[in-house]
Amino acid sequence: MSVLFGSIMLYSVANFLTGYVTSVDQYALARFIAGIGLAGELGAGITLVSELLPKNKRGVGTSLVAGIGLFGAVFAYFTYKFTNDWRLCYKIGGVLGVGLLLLRISVAESGMYQEVKDLNVKRGNLLMFFNNGTRFRKYIMAVLIGLPTWYVIGILVNLSNRFATELYGANNVDSGRAVMFAYVGIAVGDILIGFVSQYFQSRKKALYLFYALTIISGILFFSAFNSNDGRMYAICAALGFSTGFWAIFVTMGAEQFGTNLRATAATTIPNIVRGGLFLMNLLFKDLFQDSWGWPLLRSGVTTGIIVMAITLIAAFFTQETYGKELNYVEK
């Protein structure tokens, strides 16, 4: 709970202060602080929900947490369109964060974690992921299964206007609007995948289904079917939906480890995946386009093939965690 409290506090204060910045440096500092706050909030929340709910309801609970939270990006788009004042948008975000903070104070601490606090075991030691071969392998696999999310958002959707130019010429695609459609899809997918996981009684089968949808949506993105702005937005929404496995991916990361490392895994794994966008961009732009002189479409397709291949291999070697008992510690 202390991680959640601190994360939301940092994010709320930084958001509110961003509405009053007077220089680029101040803006960068405020966004940096907000990023630190946001980085810990989702993982800690997923961990808390996982430990509080019965094991046969964990997937649905964590999906609702992540899916509803992702609708925030959609509301942010419409808030800006309605106010047309970016400073006011940040102030609104800060006030909403304070409201969330007040709600989180009433949430009970996990009983599992309370028990671990009374034991003589190391808690939150990041080095424990690297000093044991089995734990290290599980940790790396948990990171790699989430890569397609940021390939889709960070490359395909973010550069949708440029891809549209290459695919069908003159266009009026707004990347911000494309991101909004993608996040609608992600939020819906994140909520639905929890129920899909419950139906299959398997985290991995649900992931494989959404990976297949990601591949199909990616093929449509680069095909002749993507021939106008309306279809581009629709495909961005489909790509978002198909990569709406963020909740299950983070939940699987939490379920892989004992109570003394669970929150550390759930907070670091998604942030390493976010950082993976930097490496994907190095591959996509710096190597394929700048060094090798490949065109945009070829670079995008090749990067996607590499990312999906790595992810599918990692998913195959990832442990199934549906219904796993979480009341244990790592030694």
Side-chain angles (χ1 to χ4, degrees), residues 154-155 159 276-287 303:
I155 294 178
L159 300 177
L277 177 59
F278 171 74
L279 297 178
M280 286 184 262
N281 270 322
L282 283 179
L283 193 67
F284 167 70
K285 186 178 187 304
D286 293 75
L287 179 62
T303 304

Side-chain angles (χ1 to χ4, degrees), residues 32 84 109 135 157-158 163-164 182 186 241 244 249 263 314 318 329-330:
F32 177 76
N84 200 30
E109 179 63 273
R135 273 198 301 266
V157 179
N158 187 48
F163 281 110
I186 291 173
F241 176 83
F249 141 69
T318 296
V329 296
E330 301 281 350

